[in-house]
C-alpha cells in the first residue's frame, strides 16, 4: 500500500524511518510485558526524548524541533504503526495533549523550569480535564481553584487521566471564578501535598497505558504555577482539542493500516475450502473497500494538518475528522478480526489487541456524537 502524499517531504520520510526503527527495536518485542504491568517504562520514553521525538513542535531553545503540524502528523501516524496502542497514547498524551499547554501558555520562567525536561522525556506529562461529570463539556468542570495570598488551593477530582499514575507533571483545569467558562490551568507536580492518585483504573484496552482517578484535597500550589491567563483556561483547552483530535485521528488511521496489512498477509496464507481465503470474492472486495476508506480518511487528515499550518479555522474539519476516523477504525478492525476467524479472538494476537484498543477512539478525546454536534453548530 503506497503512502506517498502531496504533503510529503524527504524529511518526513526520514522521520517515518526513524520512528519505525524505534518501534521495531524498542516497542514491539517488549509491548506484551508492558500490557501485563500496565504502563510503559519511563526509560523507553527517555530514549525517545534523547532521539528528539518528544518535542517536535516545541521551540528549539528548549530542545524541541520547531516543526509544523504536518510533521507532527507524520510522527503520530508513524508512531501508530505500533500494535500496542497503550504505548502510542502514553506518548501522544505527552507530546500532543499535555505538553502543548506548557508550550503555548507557559511563561518564560515556566518553560525554563520544565520544558527541556519534558522534551527530553525526563518529566512525563498528563493533562487533567475530565471529571466524573465533565469531559468534552469543559464548562461542567467542578474542581475548584481558590486564591489565597501567594498560593492557589485546588479541591476536587479528575477521572480517566492517561499517564495519571506515573506522570511527573500535571496540567490541571479548575474553576477559578463564578462564570460558566471561568476555568484556569495550573501546573501541579507529583508529590505536592494533598495531591494523590485515587486509584489506577482497569480498562478494556490500552492496557500498557496507566490511567487514573486523581484527587485534589486542599492542594496548595504557588501563584506562579498558574498556566496562562487566569480565567482563560477554557479557551486554552478548546484550542488544544484540535491538536489532540488530529493525533487521535492519526492513531485511528495507523490502526486501520496495520489491521489491513496483517489481514492481507493472513488471508493470503490461510487455507480454507480448497484454497487461500483471498480466493473468496467477498473478502477481497471488503478489504479493498476498507482500504479505500482508510486512504480517503488519511488524505483528509493530512489536509486538516496542512490547514493548521496555513492558520485556517479548522474546528469543523477536525471535528468531522475525529468522528469519521473514530467510527472507521472500528469498522476496519472488526472486519479484519472477523477474517482472522477464531485466531482473531485470542489474547496476545496483534489483531485482537487492535480490535480491543480501537474501541475507545470513538469515545476518548470527544465522542463521535459530541464531534458531530460541533460540526452541525458550524453550518
Amino acid at each position: 500500500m503506497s503512502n506517498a502524499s502531496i504533503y510529503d517531504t524527504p524529511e518526513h520520510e526520514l522521520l517515518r524511518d526513524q520512528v519505525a526503527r524505534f518501534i521495531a527495536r524498542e516497542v514491539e518485542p517488549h509491548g506484551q510485558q508492558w500490557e501485563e504491568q500496565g504502563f510503559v517504562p519511563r526509560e523507553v520514553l527517555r530514549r525517545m526524548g534523547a532521539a528528539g521525538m518528544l518535542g517536535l513542535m516545541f521551540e528549539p531553545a528548549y530542545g524541541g524541533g520547531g516543526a509544523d503540524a504536518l510533521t507532527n502528523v507524520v510522527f503520530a501516524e508513524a508512531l501508530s504503526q505500533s500494535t500496542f496502542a497503550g504505548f502510542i497514547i502514553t506518548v501522544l498524551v505527552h507530546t500532543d495533549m499535555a505538553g502543548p499547554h506548557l508550550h503555548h501558555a507557559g511563561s518564560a520562567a515556566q518553560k525554563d523550569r520544565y520544558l527541556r525536561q519534558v522534551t527530553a522525556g525526563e518529566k512525563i506529562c498528563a493533562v487533567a480535564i475530565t471529571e466524573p461529570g465533565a469531559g468534552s463539556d469543559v464548562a461542567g468542570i467542578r474542581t475548584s481553584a481558590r486564591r489565597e495570598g501567594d498560593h492557589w488551593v485546588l479541591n476536587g477530582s479528575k477521572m480517566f487521566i492517561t499517564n495519571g499514575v506515573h506522570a511527573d507533571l500535571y496540567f490541571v483545569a479548575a474553576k477559578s471564578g463564578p462564570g460558566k467558562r471561568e476555568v484556569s490551568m495550573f501546573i501541579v507536580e507529583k508529590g505536592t501535598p494533598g495531591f494523590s492518585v485515587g486509584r489506577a483504573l482497569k480498562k478494556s484496552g490500552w492496557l500498557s497505558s496507566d490511567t487514573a482517578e486523581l484527587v485534589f484535597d486542599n492542594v496548595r500550589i504557588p501563584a506562579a504555577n498558574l498556566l496562562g491567563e487566569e480565567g482563560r483556561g477554557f479557551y486554552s483547552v478548546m484550542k488544544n482539542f484540535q491538536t489532540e483530535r488530529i493525533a487521535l485521528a492519526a492513531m485511528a488511521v495507523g490502526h486501520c493500516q496495520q489491521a489491513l496489512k496483517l489481514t492481507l498477509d493472513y488471508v493470503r496464507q490461510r487455507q480454507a475450502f480448497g484454497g487461500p481465503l483471498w480466493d473468496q470474492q467477498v473478502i477481497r472486495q471488503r478489504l479493498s473497500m476498507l482500504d479505500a476508506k482508510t486512504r480517503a480518511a488519511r488524505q483528509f487528515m493530512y489536509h486538516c494538518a496542512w490547514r493548521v499550518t496555513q492558520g485556517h479555522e479548522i474546528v469543523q474539519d477536525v471535528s468531522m475528522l475525529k468522528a469519521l476516523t473514530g467510527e472507521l477504525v472500528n469498522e476496519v478492525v472488526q472486519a479484519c478480526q472477523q477474517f482472522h476467524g477464531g485466531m482473531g479472538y485470542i489474547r496476545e494476537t496483534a489483531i485482537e489487541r487492535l480490535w480491543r484498543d480501537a474501541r475507545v477512539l470513538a469515545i476518548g478525546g470527544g465522542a463521535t456524537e459530541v464531534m458531530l454536534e460541533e460540526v452541525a453548530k458550524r453550518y
Side-chain angles (χ1 to χ4, degrees):
M1 290 182 279
S2 171
N3 276 334
S5 161
I6 190 173
Y7 302 109
D8 276 339
T9 66
E11 289 77 19
H12 291 166
E13 281 309 307
L14 287 172
L15 178 59
R16 282 194 185 101
D17 290 345
Q18 181 192 12
V19 175
R21 286 196 304 273
F22 187 91
I23 288 170
R25 184 179 69 245
E26 303 276 4
V27 180
E28 297 302 296
H30 312 292
Q32 189 54 46
Q33 185 185 336
W34 306 344
E35 296 262 297
E36 287 157 19
Q37 71 185 23
F39 63 95
V40 176
R42 286 329 187 221
E43 59 267 24
V44 176
L45 301 176
R46 284 194 291 274
R47 284 200 287 275
M48 288 192 82
M53 289 190 248
L54 294 185
L56 288 179
M57 289 211 294
F58 304 155
E59 299 104 313
Y62 299 102
D68 64 10
L70 270 170
T71 305
N72 201 51
V73 163
V74 168
F75 171 71
E77 185 189 27
L79 192 73
S80 299
Q81 303 305 306
S82 170
T83 63
F84 291 95
F87 159 76
I88 301 165
I89 198 63
T90 296
V91 175
L92 289 181
V93 163
H94 180 77
T95 57
D96 286 47
M97 300 171 202
H101 283 282
L102 182 61
H103 164 66
H104 289 306
S107 65
Q110 288 168 340
K111 288 182 182 180
D112 214 45
R113 182 169 180 185
Y114 298 116
L115 195 52
R116 286 182 193 85
Q117 292 173 293
V118 168
T119 304
E122 287 161 15
K123 281 196 186 298
I124 299 302
C125 305
V127 59
I129 297 167
T130 305
E131 299 182 359
S136 299
D137 178 15
V138 176
I141 282 174
R142 298 183 65 175
T143 295
S144 65
R146 186 179 75 256
R147 183 74 187 253
E148 279 189 7
D150 292 337
H151 288 80
W152 286 91
V153 180
L154 272 56
N155 279 287
S157 64
K158 297 291 179 180
M159 193 57 131
F160 312 131
I161 306 305
T162 302
N163 295 351
V165 181
H166 295 286
D168 306 292
L169 210 53
Y170 299 76
F171 304 124
V172 182
K175 283 292 291 262
S176 54
K180 190 179 178 198
R181 294 182 172 180
E182 219 169 321
V183 171
S184 298
M185 296 295 292
F186 299 91
I187 301 171
V188 180
E189 294 189 44
K190 178 172 236 132
T192 304
F195 170 48
S196 62
V197 172
R199 59 196 164 121
L201 301 169
K202 293 185 174 179
K203 310 181 295 296
S204 288
W206 285 5
L207 299 185
S208 45
S209 132
D210 55 295
T211 306
E213 175 190 29
L214 305 177
V215 177
F216 301 86
D217 181 11
N218 287 318
V219 177
R220 290 177 68 81
I221 56 171
N225 284 29
L226 174 71
L227 184 58
E229 288 180 60
E230 182 181 338
R232 299 289 297 173
F234 176 88
Y235 303 98
S236 301
V237 171
M238 290 295 130
K239 177 181 178 182
N240 201 59
F241 269 161
Q242 309 321 312
T243 305
E244 179 174 329
R245 286 163 182 167
I246 292 175
L248 290 167
M251 266 189 95
V253 167
H255 282 351
C256 289
Q257 291 167 330
Q258 270 302 324
L260 288 165
K261 183 170 173 292
L262 288 167
T263 307
L264 281 165
D265 289 346
Y266 183 79
V267 299
R268 284 176 171 142
Q269 294 167 15
R270 174 79 164 91
Q271 298 291 312
F273 308 107
L277 281 177
W278 181 247
D279 287 352
Q280 304 298 322
Q281 183 185 49
V282 67
I283 288 177
R284 294 197 304 270
Q285 292 194 357
R286 186 86 194 279
L287 290 174
S288 298
M289 179 56 85
L290 292 173
D291 192 16
K293 289 182 177 182
T294 298
R295 294 188 196 202
R298 180 176 187 264
Q299 289 304 316
F300 183 35
M301 175 179 78
Y302 273 87
H303 177 66
C304 286
W306 173 79
R307 290 197 69 203
V308 173
T309 68
Q310 302 302 301
H312 295 161
E313 167 59 50
I314 48 135
V315 175
Q316 189 183 55
D317 278 18
V318 171
S319 301
M320 282 182 178
L321 175 70
K322 172 66 174 65
L324 178 75
T325 53
E327 295 299 314
L328 176 62
V329 68
N330 279 282
E331 181 188 359
V332 170
V333 296
Q334 185 150 336
C336 289
Q337 184 197 37
Q338 179 76 12
F339 294 158
H340 276 76
M343 190 53 73
Y345 204 61
I346 300 299
R347 271 283 172 107
E348 299 182 22
T349 60
I351 196 66
E352 185 272 343
R353 192 164 56 245
L354 286 168
W355 166 72
R356 179 166 24 99
D357 288 344
R359 183 64 193 92
V360 74
L361 290 171
I363 300 170
T368 298
E369 295 76 14
V370 175
M371 295 295 85
L372 294 175
E373 284 301 304
E374 289 299 314
V375 171
K377 273 192 250 177
R378 288 167 174 79
Y379 283 122

